[in-house]
């Protein structure tokens, strides 16, 4: 095949793919399903010149790797497609369909991940816009993937003048993210006694209708609670998956930080409280043993058979909430677990929020565990805000 014909085939195949805006384009795009046109050319009923196969394979790979979602890049390589094509004696379009479906499924999953990340970003921007000011002196910064968007937005708001605000991290990862953004971290245990954080931003694993939270999926719950209680207000940022009517409706367990020596005793006590199968969380490599927190403690993940009741549920007679009838109310269960010897902290953030705590004059440097507001980035591109009731 001459170079002219080869280039013509390449251009025609590329133009067979609609662009994301619906216009014809000579540049391959990443819309799910557009690979079919390329695959049809690649797996034509009659044998194709190797150079055309290579060109089509390259274009398919480009279509996948040009996806806006960074995670989708490299999802399929041109060499893998080319090898698959060459392995077929007389490739048929039906064979192409198998590969097409495989690519589409992978790209659809990365598209879903992109929506989650976009939701986090939107929620972070709204939360920072409504609860952060460059005049703030002390700001708490939580842990996890969502908080990275909060840090980025705060940095954008501050610009080059970052010396006025000090940021209190909730762990190693949190501090690293603060430093990477060019912001100034300060350790929690170096704060003067009379200092109250202007605001603390953090994520959550699950949030119920009363703004009670499960936290600790990232194993930073102890320091996260320290920082939340030191702030005038704790503002939670999350995506739509975390919005649930009751805790343990979707998130499977309650994270609990425990002293290693007390692990077996705590596991036994949790079973007595009604936990169905509490387990010590393993590290990334099972052979290295249990995961260790920044305090060198272990994490126990404790499931319970039923979603946790809110205080409103108990008031409405939906259960006693003290465990005696198999139901637990959030604050009651948190207190029961915290009372077990060997437990450092419980991943239930409940009780009062910072505004209520300071209004009740419970201490100049002691706020509440619950957020005053939760910002949920939704699938449709909106942000849903759940705020404390006055």
């Amino acid at each position: 095949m001459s170079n002219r014909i080869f280039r013509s085939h390449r251009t025609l195949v590329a133009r067979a793919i609609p662009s994301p805006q619906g216009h014809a384009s000579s540049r391959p795009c990443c819309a799910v399903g557009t690979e079919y046109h390329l695959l049809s050319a690649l797996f034509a009923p009659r044998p194709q010149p190797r150079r055309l196969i290579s060109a089509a394979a390259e274009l398919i790979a480009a279509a996948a790797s040009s996806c806006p979602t960074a995670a989708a890049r490299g999802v399929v390589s041109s060499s893998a497609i080319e090898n698959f094509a060459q392995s077929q004696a007389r490739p048929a379009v039906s064979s192409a369909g198998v590969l097409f479906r495989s690519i589409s499924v992978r790209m659809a999953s990365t598209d879903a991940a992109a929506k989650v990340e976009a939701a986090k970003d939107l929620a972070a921007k709204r939360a920072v816009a409504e609860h952060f000011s460059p005049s703030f002196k002390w700001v708490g910064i939580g842990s996890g993937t969502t908080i990275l968007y909060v840090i980025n937005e705060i940095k954008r708001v501050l610009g080059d003048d970052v010396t006025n605000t000090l940021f209190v991290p909730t762990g190693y990862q949190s501090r690293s993210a603060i430093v990477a953004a060019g912001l100034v971290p300060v350790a929690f245990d170096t704060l003067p006694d009379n200092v109250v954080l202007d605001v603390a931003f953090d994520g959550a694993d699950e949030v119920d209708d009363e703004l009670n939270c499960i936290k600790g999926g990232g194993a930073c719950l102890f320091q996260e609670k320290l920082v939340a209680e030191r702030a005038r207000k704790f503002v939670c940022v999350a995506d739509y998956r975390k919005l649930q009517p009751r805790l343990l409706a979707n998130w499977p367990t309650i994270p609990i930080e425990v002293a290693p020596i007390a692990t077996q005793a705590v596991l036994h006590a949790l079973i007595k409280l009604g936990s169905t199968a509490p387990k010590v969380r393993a590290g990334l490599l099972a052979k290295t043993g249990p995961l260790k927190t920044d305090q060198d403690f272990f994490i126990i993940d404790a499931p319970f058979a039923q979603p946790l009741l809110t205080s409103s549920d108990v008031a409405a007679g939906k259960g006693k909430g003290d465990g005696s009838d198999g139901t637990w109310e959030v604050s009651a269960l948190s207190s029961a677990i915290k009372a077990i010897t060997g437990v450092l902290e419980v991943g239930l953030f409940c009780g009062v929020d910072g505004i209520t705590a300071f209004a009740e004059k419970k201490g100049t440097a002691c706020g509440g565990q619950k957020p005053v507001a939760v910002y949920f980035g939704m699938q449709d591109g909106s942000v849903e805000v759940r705020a404390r009731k006055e």
Side-chain angles (χ1 to χ4, degrees):
M1 179 181 287
S2 69
N3 286 337
R4 182 179 63 80
I5 297 175
F6 171 69
R7 287 195 300 271
S8 176
H9 271 77
R10 184 185 179 104
T11 302
L12 286 173
V13 170
R15 284 180 176 169
I17 307 176
S19 69
Q21 291 77 27
H23 303 296
S25 172
S26 60
R27 178 180 179 275
C29 76
C30 64
V32 174
T34 56
E35 304 94 333
Y36 182 76
H37 300 286
L38 291 174
L39 289 164
S40 295
L42 181 59
F43 295 96
R46 63 181 184 278
Q48 299 293 310
R50 182 174 180 85
R51 284 198 295 180
L52 178 57
I53 291 175
S54 297
E58 182 182 334
L59 286 169
I60 296 169
S65 63
S66 65
C67 181
T69 308
R73 293 178 185 145
V75 70
V76 62
S77 67
S78 59
S79 60
I81 298 170
E82 188 174 341
N83 290 339
F84 182 81
Q86 292 295 334
S87 70
Q88 309 297 310
R90 291 182 62 82
V93 175
S94 59
S95 299
V98 175
L99 185 58
F100 159 64
R101 285 192 295 273
S102 175
I103 295 173
S104 295
V105 167
R106 293 186 188 184
M107 294 185 71
S109 65
T110 56
D111 183 57
K115 288 182 178 179
V116 170
E117 296 307 309
K120 294 177 183 178
D121 188 30
L122 288 170
K125 288 176 178 175
R126 176 87 176 269
V128 170
E130 297 183 3
H131 291 279
F132 175 76
S133 168
S135 65
F136 286 172
K137 177 66 176 177
W138 309 95
V139 175
I141 293 293
S143 308
T145 57
T146 305
I147 207 66
L148 299 178
Y149 294 102
V150 172
I151 293 173
N152 288 341
E153 183 61 13
I154 288 176
K155 180 62 169 66
R156 187 194 67 78
V157 171
L158 289 176
D160 295 330
D161 185 12
V162 299
T163 57
N164 180 64
T165 307
L166 300 177
F167 295 86
V168 183
T170 56
Y172 178 83
Q173 179 254 359
S174 177
R175 184 184 186 282
S176 297
I178 292 169
V179 172
L183 304 176
V184 183
V186 57
F188 180 86
D189 57 359
T190 65
L191 294 175
D193 291 342
N194 63 341
V195 164
V196 177
L197 307 185
D198 296 290
V199 64
F201 292 99
D202 206 348
D205 300 312
E206 195 166 63
V207 184
D208 71 12
D209 286 344
E210 292 187 354
L211 305 190
N212 299 303
C213 303
I214 291 178
K215 292 174 55 59
C220 298
L221 59 123
F222 173 62
Q223 293 191 44
E224 287 173 344
K225 193 166 284 191
L226 283 177
V227 171
E229 290 186 341
R230 193 67 176 264
R232 293 187 184 279
K233 55 182 180 180
F234 158 34
V235 176
C236 184
V237 183
D239 63 77
Y240 53 88
R241 301 171 302 169
K242 312 303 175 64
L243 174 59
Q244 300 293 333
R246 299 292 180 269
L247 298 185
L248 295 182
N250 184 53
W251 191 261
T253 61
I254 298 170
I256 304 160
E257 190 164 353
V258 303
I261 195 173
T263 300
Q264 290 304 316
V266 174
L267 287 169
H268 182 67
L270 286 169
I271 292 172
K272 283 190 171 183
L273 290 178
S275 180
T276 50
K279 293 181 179 179
V280 177
R281 190 182 301 179
L284 292 178
L285 294 175
K287 66 180 182 181
T288 63
L291 177 146
K292 287 194 174 183
T293 68
D294 286 346
Q295 289 69 242
D296 237 16
F297 275 36
F298 291 169
I299 295 289
I300 290 177
D301 291 307
F304 285 79
Q306 300 182 48
L308 302 186
L309 301 180
T310 62
S311 57
S312 298
D313 290 333
V314 175
K318 295 182 179 180
K320 293 183 178 180
D322 60 1
S324 61
D325 60 350
T327 65
W328 279 105
E329 185 270 333
V330 180
S331 294
L333 181 57
S334 180
S335 297
I337 296 175
K338 186 67 182 289
I340 300 172
T341 302
V343 169
L344 176 63
E345 196 49 79
V346 184
L348 291 172
F349 284 54
C350 51
V352 298
D353 58 58
I355 293 176
T356 302
F358 283 103
E360 294 176 356
K361 299 180 180 179
K362 290 188 176 180
T364 57
C366 182
Q369 300 176 12
K370 282 173 63 172
V372 299
V374 185
Y375 289 74
F376 295 101
M378 306 304 288
Q379 284 178 293
D380 61 2
S382 64
V383 176
E384 183 171 331
V385 183
R386 298 285 182 90
R388 64 185 291 271
K389 295 180 180 179
E390 298 293 340

